[in-house]
Amino acid sequence: MPHRSWAEPYKIKMVEPIRMTTREDREQAIAAAGYNSFLLKSEDVYIDLLTDSGTSAMSDYQWAGLMLGDEAYAGSRSFYHLVDAVRETYGYEELIPTHQGRGAEHILSQILIKQGDVVPGNMYFTTTRFHQEYAGGSFVDVIIDEAHEPDSEHPFKGNIDLVKLQAIVDEYGADRVPYVSFETNVNLAGGQPASMANFREVYEFCSRYGILVMLDATRALENAYFIQQREGGYHDKSIKEILAEICSYSHGATVSSKKDNLVNIGGFLAVRDPELARRARALLVAFEGLHTYGGMSGRDMEALARGIREMVETDDHVAARVGQVLYLGEKLIKAGIPIVRPVGGHGIFLDAAAILSHLPQEHFPAQALTATLYLDAGVRGMERGIVSAGRDPSTGDHHYPRLELVRLAIPRRVYTQAHMDVVAESVVSVYEERERVKGLRFTYEPPELRFFQARFEPLD
Ligand code: PLI
């Protein structure tokens, strides 16, 4: 059969103009931002790939839901719509709505972690690890080794290594391991999935020791898509069925709804155990809001309930979403650009350590590459390397992650294939000039989550 193209399963009803900038504009903007893409003004950005978080385009049905949101302080109709959507899609009975993912992480960490506990997880995420440490625990990475190798073509680089997990339980004892923090489609590994076999094995392992499995189901939809495409026995199952099966191997989940769930704000903690939910709600009312709205307005909950249903209504949505990421990834691979492989679910991860091999990690190659890419054509990415990894609280030294990456995260339903072409051409152009890129040094380093607000200057 001749090659047939596919296109997005939606059409565009409203547009948002974006400003074109000159190289001089961008030189001024990045210097004013202290060479940190988080500190750029969005009006100075042409194609914004800083994050796929809260940047999705909502559907007309979701926008209509905003008008129907029930803003009652207690017992909002929109809350019950959200409870039903989460139950039917993720399978958890108890819903604790939060303002976004980190609100759910805060509450989960506070109810489960005691001082001195150890929380194994498949690669850290910045806010997740922060809340685990803030609650008195320490995070231990138990992801498989392949996750740290940008070139490894392992189909499930998000898998947990059961041997590493066993070693943690043997060393600390199961009573110091409150739960395993199992992230779906692991963000910092490059949007890499875990297999269904691994979700099942980890759940069985933990059940033997009485350890809970808490998913970070923020990008579980994209994980479900990779299972459908790559794992035997799942080709004929729907995304909805696969997602429900993933969640069946857990006791609960935190979700940042700003990703898979197609809304601009919101999140939740969902659990099965009513007693755990009771403890979570006690904190929810102190830190977020009453238990039937938590951190969200009625209209936000209404749009979220609709987004959750929409993401699994057909398999076409996720196929197009991951398909667009793959389109950009394949262009870069063809041009010989070192990126994390296989191409992940939510963005392309440039291997800054390989691209800027003349810079030592202490000179922040991924931060420097992010700034250079912005200068070239106004494409904004995000550092995901040593700056994001922060410092070890006990030694004060940098964490030295093996992955030194620039993430180009693709918002859902926002940009076209033509935007992806512009991005690919800009990356290639920067790659050709890579030897000229200089390292950076801090001019300001915040003590916590430093990547958000740090400032830098180029080294001579
Ligand atoms: O940004 P929040 O607070 O809604 O969610 C925090 C969060 C938790 N888990 C994972 C895997 C995330 O990716 C995540 C947020 N990610 C951001 C902001 C990102 O740019 O990837």
Side-chain angles (χ1 to χ4, degrees), residues 51-53 100-102 105 125 127-128 183 187 216 218-219 256 258-259 382 407:
T51 177
D52 63 324
S53 179
Q100 53 184 79
R102 68 199 71 181
E105 291 167 352
F125 183 73
T127 58
T128 322
E183 187 183 333
N187 189 353
D216 180 338
T218 294
R219 295 184 181 84
S256 164
K258 302 171 73 172
K259 285 81 166 174
M382 183 193 288
R407 186 183 72 173

Side-chain angles (χ1 to χ4, degrees), residues 88-108:
E88 281 169 36
T89 309
Y90 294 92
Y92 304 115
E93 284 297 312
E94 305 284 345
L95 177 77
I96 288 94
T98 57
H99 72 288
Q100 53 184 79
R102 68 199 71 181
E105 291 167 352
H106 174 214
I107 290 171
L108 179 73

Side-chain angles (χ1 to χ4, degrees), residues 216-282:
D216 180 338
T218 294
R219 295 184 181 84
L221 178 78
E222 291 162 9
N223 199 126
Y225 178 72
F226 286 123
I227 288 174
Q228 187 190 53
Q229 298 300 305
R230 297 179 186 166
E231 193 162 351
Y234 288 92
H235 300 307
D236 298 327
K237 293 221 158 117
S238 70
I239 292 295
K240 194 173 177 180
E241 289 170 303
I242 298 171
L243 177 57
E245 187 179 338
I246 292 173
C247 297
S248 74
Y249 303 124
S250 70
H251 300 88
T254 55
V255 173
S256 164
S257 295
K258 302 171 73 172
K259 285 81 166 174
D260 278 353
N261 294 166
L262 299 167
V263 289
N264 305 117
I265 194 74
F268 57 88
L269 165 64
V271 294
R272 298 188 200 290
D273 177 6
E275 169 55 20
L276 212 53
R278 191 191 58 71
R279 284 162 52 201
R281 287 188 185 111

